Amino acid sequence: MKLLEPLDINGMTLVNRIVLPAMVTRLSGEDGLVNADIRDRYVRFARGEPGLIVVEAMSVHGGKSGPLLKISDDGFIAGQAEMVKAMHDEGPSKVAAQIIHFLKIARSGWRQKVGDLGLSEIRAIVRQYAEAAGRVRRAGYDGVELHMAHAYTLSSFLSLQNRRADEYGRSLENRMRMMTETIQAVRAEVGRDFAVGVRFDGEECIKDGYTLCDSREMALRMARLGVNWISISAGGKFEDALHKPGEPLYPYTGYSGDRCMPSTNYPDGANIYLAEGIKQHLNARGFATPVVATGKIRTPELAESILVSGRADLIGMARALLADPDWPLKVRLGQPDRIVRCVYGNVCKALDENFRKVRCVLWPKGALQAPRVEDDQPPVWTYDDAGLTAVETRGRVQLKWNHATDDHAVYGYEILRSADGGPFDHINSVKGVFYVDDDVVGGVSYRYLVRAYDLAGNRTPDSNIATVSLPDLAAAMVP
Amino acid sequence: MKLLEPLDINGMTLVNRIVLPAMVTRLSGEDGLVNADIRDRYVRFARGEPGLIVVEAMSVHGGKSGPLLKISDDGFIAGQAEMVKAMHDEGPSKVAAQIIHFLKIARSGWRQKVGDLGLSEIRAIVRQYAEAAGRVRRAGYDGVELHMAHAYTLSSFLSLQNRRADEYGRSLENRMRMMTETIQAVRAEVGRDFAVGVRFDGEECIKDGYTLCDSREMALRMARLGVNWISISAGGKFEDALHKPGEPLYPYTGYSGDRCMPSTNYPDGANIYLAEGIKQHLNARGFATPVVATGKIRTPELAESILVSGRADLIGMARALLADPDWPLKVRLGQPDRIVRCVYGNVCKALDENFRKVRCVLWPKGALQAPRVEDDQPPVWTYDDAGLTAVETRGRVQLKWNHATDDHAVYGYEILRSADGGPFDHINSVKGVFYVDDDVVGGVSYRYLVRAYDLAGNRTPDSNIATVSLPDLAAAMVP
C-alpha cells in the first residue's frame, strides 16, 4: 500500500504518507505556552503514528491572539522541546511546527490589512519568521511549516486582493515577494539540512480571489526556493467572514470557510484538484517537491487512490485524525474497520469559531482528548437484536433502532446505506438511536443498517437491514 | 470536427454543438415586449449560426422586473413570434425561449423567500410555467428552457438553503418536488413532440449550498421526467449578493456571481467538472440526455476537446458570442483566426449589475449591436512597423506599440504572450496602444506580440516580438 510507504523529506524520513495538518486546539492559555492539555493532545496524535504531525500554528510575533501558542522568543523553547520529546518517545511520527504571523483585528470588525504595512514592518515580519524557525529547530522539531494560507499575513500578500502599489503588491511577482523573502530568510536561519514546508491556499475561494492559475506559479516559486514540502489548503479568508457584533472576525464563517473544511454537502476529496494541478505543474517543470492534498479525505481507499494516480504525494487529514488519532495505526494493523469515522459535521469548526476548546463531537461527553482504551471486547445489541426500522415520512426517512451495551462504553452508532443495490456507504454516526435521512430521492430503493462501536472502535454485528422507498413522482413519465 | 456535428433533441435538430445560453440584455422596455433592439440583437446572433439560441429569460408571471421580457399572457405572443420568424429567416439556428419565475425583491434589501409561499402560490407558479411554455410553442419557438438556476424561484426550491418544513423543503426529494411538478405540467401543456430543456446550477457556490452530490440526482430526476437537454450553470445567488443601498439586490455581485461568469482570474473551462460529473451520472444510469457545459469556454480547441473526451454534449458560450456572434460561422468557414476574442473582463456583467443595457466593451463606442461588416481588407500598421516595446517596471511589464489603420475601423489590439519559449497565448485585447501585464513572475522569459483587428476580425501581420524578463529572486536558491 503506497499510503504506508516511507518518504524522505530533506533528511526527515516519514514512516508513511499520512500528515496531520496544523489544526487549532484553543487549549493553550493566553500566555502562549505549551500546557498539559496541548501536550496530551499531540502525544495522543503521536500514538496513532501518522508520518508527519504539524503542531498547530504558533505566532512568530507574540501578538495578542487568545489561547494560541507562541514561539516569539526563546522563553517558549523549553516547553515546546518537552512536548516534542514526549511525542518522539510515543511513536515514530516526525514533528513539525507551523509558524504564523497575523495582523491585528478588533471586535468592531476592523482589521489591519497588508496595505497598511510599511517596508520596515515587512522586514521585521520576515525577520520574525526566520528567528521563530530557528527556535523551532532548537526545540527539537524535525521541520518547520510556514503558514501562508487562509486569512493571515503571508497569505494576504499572496492574495489577488493585495493591491499595494509598491513592489509588494498587485502583480503576481510582487504579491510573491514577501513569500520569497521569508522563505530565503528562514532557510538562511535554519540551514540546508532542515525540513522547511509551506502551507498555502491552492484557491482563495472568495470574490476576485486567486485560483490555480496563480497558485501553481506560487508553488513553483516555493519549489525553486528549495521548500521541502508544499501543503495545499483552500479558502479560510476574512473577506467573506461573517461579523458577529462584539466578536473579532473569524475567517472560517463564510463560503471560503466551507471550502477550507468541506462538510457533508461536499463530495469526498473536494479539493484534490488543487493539489493535483499544482503537482502536475511542478513535475512538468522538473521539481519533485512533495505535495500534500487535504480536504475531506476520509477513507484509506480514497487516500490510496490519490497517491497511486499521482495526484499528490502525501495525504493530509485533520478532522479524520481528530475523530480517531489511531487512523494510521489501524490501517497499518489491517484494522480499517475499527476506525472511528469522522462525520464532517464540523462541530470542531464551530467550537473554534466560538472561541471554545476544540474537541470532537464523537468523543465521550466532556472528554478533552480522544479515548485511549485497550479493549478487544466489542459492544453487543442489548436485546440480541438491533430492531432497526426505516419509515418514509413526508419525503424524509426516519430510522430507529435499539441500544447496544459495552464493557467500557458505547461510543456511537454508524449508519450505513445502500442505494438501489449498491455498496453500503457510511452516511453518518450518531450518539443516540434515532436518525432522519434528508438525503433521499423518490424512485430509489434504500437499504439501511446500523452498528454500534465502542471506545476502541470495536463493533457490534451489523443490524438487520431495513428497506424503504419514497414514492416515485417521475415514474409515470419514464418512456 | 465534433463541434460542427448536428444533434437531434427530440425532433429539434441543431446544426452544430454550439449553444448561446440565455443572457440578459436589458434592451426591453418595462412593458416586457419585444422591441427593435432586442430583435436586432437576436437576429444578429442568428446570423452567426450557433446550433441553438436560447432567448433571454422572460417572466411567466409578469412581475415588475425592469426591462425584462414577459410571456405572462397571450398579448406577448405576437412580438415573440415576429422575432423568432426573423431569426429563422436569418440562419439555421434553432431558437428556444427561457422562461422564468422570480420572487419579489425590494430596494431595501428585503426579498421574498421560498419559505414565504403557500401551497396555492406554489400551484399557481407551476401553472404559470405551463401556460408560458404553451405560449412559447405557439410563438413558433423550437423549444423552451425552464430557468431553474441562480437566484430564482425554482432554483431556490432546489437549494440546500430551502428549509421549508413541509413536503416542499429540506430533504432532497422535497426540494425537487416543485421542479418535478413544473416539468410535468410543462410537458402536459406542450406535448411530447416539443423540446423542453432545463438550466440549473451544478453547484450553488454559496455557504451551505448544494454541490454535485445533489445536482447529479436533480439532473437524473430531470432526465427521468423526459427533459430533452440539461444546461449546467453555477452560482449566481442572492445569499452572497452585495446590497447597494437604494438598489434591489443583484444576484451576481458576490463570489457565486464570479463562479457563474468566471473572469480573468479563473482557468478556462472552470465549471466543466460540473457538466462532466452530471453527464457521467446520467450515462451510468442509462440516460443520454444532452448536457450543456458553460463557463469561460473560449477556443474551438477547448470546445472540441470537451466533446471528444465525452465531458459534455453541447458547448454553451454567452460572453464569447456576445463579443463575436460570428464565432460559430467563422469556425465553420475555417477562419478561427478572425474570431474577435472575449477577454472575460466582465464589463457586460457590470453593465447588467448596474441596470444598464448590456453590450460588449470590445464593440465600437456607443454600438448597441456587434458590428456587421463585409470586409476582407485587413488593417495595416500605420508606420509599417508596430514598434512594440516591453519594459519591466517594479515587478510589472509595460507594453507600448504604434497605431494601426483600417479602411473601416480598427476594432482593437490583441496581445499575445509566450512564456519560456511556449506557445503564444491571447492574454487580453485593448482599444488603445498601451498595456500593463500584472500576471508575470521573475525567472521567466516572456515574449509578447500584438496585432490589430478590424470590425470583421481581419488582422494586421503580427508585430515585432518584444522580450522581457523580471529579476529572478529565486535564482540564488536553486541547487
Side-chain angles (χ1 to χ4, degrees):
Chain A
M1 202 177 187
K2 201 167 166 66
L3 187 60
L4 299 180
E5 288 177 10
L7 182 71
D8 176 74
I9 296 182
N10 192 23
M12 172 175 81
T13 302
L14 311 186
V15 292
N16 59 48
R17 305 299 182 95
I18 302 163
V19 175
L20 173 74
M23 182 176 20
V24 73
T25 63
R26 294 199 180 274
L27 293 176
S28 167
E30 297 272 342
D31 56 13
L33 290 164
V34 172
N35 60 21
D37 287 342
I38 291 197
R39 196 169 45 239
D40 288 353
R41 173 73 56 97
Y42 285 100
V43 169
R44 180 71 188 83
F45 280 128
R47 183 188 181 227
E49 304 182 5
L52 177 63
I53 295 173
V54 184
V55 171
E56 64 193 274
M58 46 198 84
S59 76
V60 302
H61 58 303
K64 192 165 180 303
S65 58
L68 299 179
L69 291 175
K70 295 183 173 70
I71 190 77
S72 49
D73 73 49
D74 288 359
F76 293 104
I77 295 176
Q80 293 281 350
E82 191 196 353
M83 177 170 72
V84 174
K85 182 173 184 309
M87 293 170 73
H88 282 149
D89 288 348
E90 187 73 16
S93 299
K94 297 298 179 183
V95 187
Q98 189 180 64
I99 60 175
I100 187 171
H101 187 278
F102 40 83
L103 297 172
K104 292 172 190 150
I105 53 174
R107 290 177 189 275
S108 64
W110 171 87
R111 63 188 173 91
Q112 192 182 20
K113 295 182 182 167
V114 296
D116 303 332
L117 295 178
L119 293 182
S120 64
E121 289 169 291
I122 289 175
R123 277 191 290 269
I125 294 168
V126 170
R127 200 61 233 134
Q128 286 168 332
Y129 259 98
E131 288 169 6
R135 286 181 204 112
V136 165
R137 179 159 198 177
R138 280 185 277 146
Y141 278 99
D142 304 295
V144 64
E145 185 177 85
L146 314 181
H147 198 333
M148 300 194 179
H150 311 157
Y152 311 111
T153 311
L154 269 289
S155 178
S156 300
F157 273 92
L158 292 174
S159 175
L160 197 50
Q161 293 288 313
N162 168 8
R163 306 301 290 164
R164 282 181 74 107
D166 68 357
E167 63 267 38
Y168 284 93
R170 204 150 167 174
S171 79
L172 180 52
E173 175 63 26
N174 288 348
R175 287 154 46 209
M176 296 197 299
R177 194 174 303 275
M178 186 165 179
M179 168 268 272
T180 300
E181 292 172 349
T182 301
I183 292 169
Q184 288 173 328
V186 165
R187 179 59 75 192
E189 181 80 20
V190 299
R192 290 212 164 254
D193 61 340
F194 193 62
V196 176
V198 171
R199 184 156 168 88
F200 87 113
D201 280 355
E203 187 166 355
E204 294 195 272
C205 304
I206 53 171
K207 181 176 165 72
D208 297 323
Y210 73 69
T211 68
L212 260 177
C213 299
D214 287 357
S215 61
R216 58 192 175 203
E217 298 301 329
M218 295 171 187
L220 180 61
R221 169 65 52 86
M222 293 169 193
R224 295 183 67 238
L225 289 164
V227 164
N228 303 118
W229 79 86
I230 301 176
S231 180
I232 309 302
S233 189
K237 308 295 287 184
F238 277 129
E239 281 78 357
D240 65 351
L242 308 177
H243 182 229
K244 279 192 224 170
E247 295 285 357
L249 269 179
Y250 175 81
Y252 304 94
T253 43
Y255 172 82
S256 73
D258 275 18
R259 291 291 308 276
C260 189
M261 289 167 261
S263 186
T264 50
N265 52 330
Y266 280 88
D268 283 2
N271 293 333
I272 296 170
Y273 73 101
L274 296 172
E276 182 181 6
I278 285 169
K279 181 172 160 64
Q280 269 177 8
H281 193 71
L282 295 183
N283 292 174
R285 277 146 192 84
F287 290 90
T289 315
V291 174
V292 186
T294 60
K296 204 179 175 186
I297 302 171
R298 56 174 156 180
T299 66
E301 292 74 19
L302 177 59
E304 180 70 7
S305 81
I306 294 167
L307 297 176
V308 167
S309 59
R311 287 179 286 166
D313 303 285
L314 291 157
I315 304 297
M317 286 184 269
R319 292 170 294 174
L321 293 186
L322 187 72
D324 189 348
D326 295 326
W327 196 106
L329 180 64
K330 288 172 177 174
V331 171
R332 178 169 74 74
L333 296 174
Q335 302 174 340
D337 281 354
R338 287 179 67 186
I339 291 171
V340 176
R341 307 181 196 199
C342 175
V343 298
Y344 295 93
N346 276 346
V347 170
C348 48
K349 177 171 179 277
L351 288 167
D352 180 29
E353 194 171 319
N354 289 291
F355 309 103
R356 292 170 60 189
K357 292 177 180 178
V358 173
R359 50 188 111 193
C360 177
V361 70
L362 297 176
W363 295 350
K365 200 168 154 74
L368 208 54
Q369 309 295 347
R372 189 171 174 167
V373 180
E374 295 298 336
D375 173 18
D376 286 326
Q377 194 68 32
V380 293
W381 292 110
T382 307
Y383 308 104
D384 296 328
D385 174 14
L388 175 67
T389 60
V391 180
E392 190 258 328
T393 313
R394 298 185 99 182
R396 313 168 75 193
V397 171
Q398 295 192 350
L399 304 178
K400 286 182 193 172
W401 58 92
N402 295 329
H403 284 275
T405 50
D406 184 73
D407 56 335
H408 288 88
V410 169
Y411 201 17
Y413 299 85
E414 286 184 352
I415 302 157
L416 290 89
R417 189 181 78 175
S418 153
D420 278 342
F424 276 93
D425 292 324
H426 174 235
I427 59 166
N428 215 332
S429 296
V430 294
K431 299 262 181 180
V433 293
F434 179 78
Y435 183 70
V436 176
D437 188 4
D438 273 330
D439 183 29
V440 290
V441 299
V444 172
S445 172
Y446 294 104
R447 291 184 301 154
Y448 294 89
L449 66 82
V450 295
R451 47 199 185 205
Y453 57 99
D454 67 17
L455 298 173
N458 302 300
R459 294 175 181 162
T460 59
D462 291 348
S463 73
N464 61 302
I465 290 176
T467 302
V468 67
S469 289
L470 278 64
D472 184 7
L473 296 185
M477 304 297 293
V478 177
Chain B
M1 202 177 185
K2 202 168 166 65
L3 188 60
L4 299 180
E5 288 177 10
L7 182 71
D8 176 74
I9 296 182
N10 193 25
M12 172 175 80
T13 302
L14 311 186
V15 292
N16 60 47
R17 304 301 181 93
I18 301 164
V19 176
L20 173 75
M23 182 176 18
V24 73
T25 63
R26 295 198 181 275
L27 294 176
S28 167
E30 297 273 343
D31 56 14
L33 291 164
V34 173
N35 59 22
D37 288 342
I38 291 196
R39 195 170 45 239
D40 289 352
R41 174 72 56 95
Y42 286 99
V43 169
R44 180 70 189 84
F45 280 128
R47 183 187 181 228
E49 306 183 3
L52 178 63
I53 294 173
V54 184
V55 171
E56 65 194 274
M58 46 198 84
S59 76
V60 302
H61 59 302
K64 192 164 178 305
S65 59
L68 299 179
L69 291 176
K70 295 184 172 68
I71 189 77
S72 49
D73 73 49
D74 289 357
F76 292 104
I77 295 177
Q80 293 280 350
E82 192 197 349
M83 177 169 73
V84 173
K85 181 171 185 313
M87 293 170 72
H88 281 150
D89 288 348
E90 185 73 16
S93 299
K94 297 298 178 183
V95 188
Q98 188 179 64
I99 60 175
I100 187 172
H101 186 277
F102 40 83
L103 297 173
K104 293 174 191 148
I105 53 174
R107 291 178 188 272
S108 64
W110 172 88
R111 62 188 173 91
Q112 191 182 23
K113 295 183 181 169
V114 296
D116 303 331
L117 296 178
L119 294 182
S120 63
E121 289 169 291
I122 290 175
R123 276 190 292 270
I125 294 168
V126 170
R127 201 59 235 135
Q128 285 168 332
Y129 259 98
E131 287 169 7
R135 288 181 203 112
V136 165
R137 181 162 196 173
R138 280 184 279 147
Y141 278 99
D142 304 295
V144 65
E145 184 177 87
L146 314 181
H147 198 333
M148 300 196 179
H150 312 159
Y152 311 112
T153 311
L154 269 289
S155 179
S156 301
F157 272 92
L158 292 173
S159 175
L160 198 50
Q161 293 287 312
N162 168 7
R163 306 302 290 164
R164 282 181 72 106
D166 68 358
E167 63 268 39
Y168 284 93
R170 204 151 167 173
S171 79
L172 181 53
E173 175 64 25
N174 288 348
R175 287 155 45 210
M176 296 197 300
R177 193 174 303 275
M178 185 165 180
M179 169 266 274
T180 301
E181 292 172 351
T182 301
I183 292 169
Q184 288 172 327
V186 165
R187 180 59 75 194
E189 182 80 19
V190 300
R192 290 212 163 250
D193 60 342
F194 193 64
V196 177
V198 171
R199 184 156 167 88
F200 86 114
D201 280 354
E203 186 165 355
E204 294 195 272
C205 304
I206 53 170
K207 181 175 164 72
D208 297 323
Y210 73 69
T211 69
L212 260 177
C213 299
D214 286 358
S215 61
R216 59 193 175 202
E217 298 302 327
M218 296 171 186
L220 181 61
R221 169 64 53 87
M222 293 169 194
R224 295 183 66 239
L225 288 165
V227 164
N228 303 118
W229 80 86
I230 301 176
S231 180
I232 308 303
S233 189
K237 308 295 286 185
F238 278 129
E239 281 78 357
D240 65 350
L242 308 178
H243 183 229
K244 279 193 225 171
E247 296 285 357
L249 268 180
Y250 176 81
Y252 306 93
T253 44
Y255 172 83
S256 73
D258 276 17
R259 290 293 306 278
C260 189
M261 288 167 262
S263 185
T264 50
N265 53 330
Y266 280 87
D268 284 2
N271 292 333
I272 297 170
Y273 73 102
L274 296 172
E276 181 180 7
I278 284 169
K279 181 169 159 66
Q280 269 177 8
H281 193 71
L282 295 182
N283 292 174
R285 276 147 192 84
F287 290 90
T289 315
V291 174
V292 186
T294 61
K296 205 179 175 186
I297 302 171
R298 57 174 156 180
T299 65
E301 292 74 20
L302 177 59
E304 180 69 7
S305 82
I306 293 167
L307 297 176
V308 168
S309 60
R311 287 179 286 167
D313 303 284
L314 290 157
I315 304 298
M317 286 184 268
R319 292 169 293 173
L321 293 187
L322 187 71
D324 190 349
D326 294 326
W327 197 106
L329 180 63
K330 288 172 178 173
V331 171
R332 177 170 74 74
L333 296 176
Q335 302 174 337
D337 281 354
R338 287 178 66 185
I339 291 172
V340 176
R341 307 181 196 199
C342 175
V343 298
Y344 296 93
N346 276 346
V347 171
C348 49
K349 176 171 179 275
L351 288 167
D352 180 28
E353 192 171 318
N354 289 291
F355 310 103
R356 293 170 59 189
K357 292 177 181 177
V358 173
R359 50 187 112 193
C360 177
V361 70
L362 297 176
W363 295 350
K365 200 167 153 75
L368 207 55
Q369 308 296 348
R372 188 169 174 169
V373 180
E374 296 298 335
D375 173 19
D376 285 327
Q377 194 68 29
V380 293
W381 293 110
T382 307
Y383 308 104
D384 295 328
D385 174 13
L388 176 66
T389 60
V391 180
E392 190 257 328
T393 311
R394 296 185 101 182
R396 314 167 76 192
V397 172
Q398 295 192 350
L399 304 178
K400 285 182 193 171
W401 59 92
N402 295 330
H403 285 276
T405 51
D406 185 73
D407 57 334
H408 287 87
V410 169
Y411 201 19
Y413 298 86
E414 287 184 352
I415 302 158
L416 290 89
R417 189 181 78 177
S418 152
D420 278 342
F424 277 92
D425 290 325
H426 174 237
I427 60 167
N428 215 332
S429 296
V430 294
K431 299 262 182 179
V433 293
F434 178 80
Y435 184 69
V436 176
D437 189 3
D438 272 329
D439 184 28
V440 289
V441 299
V444 171
S445 172
Y446 294 104
R447 292 185 302 155
Y448 293 89
L449 65 83
V450 296
R451 47 198 184 203
Y453 57 99
D454 66 16
L455 298 173
N458 301 301
R459 292 176 183 162
T460 59
D462 290 349
S463 73
N464 61 302
I465 290 176
T467 302
V468 67
S469 290
L470 279 65
D472 184 8
L473 295 185
M477 304 298 291
V478 176

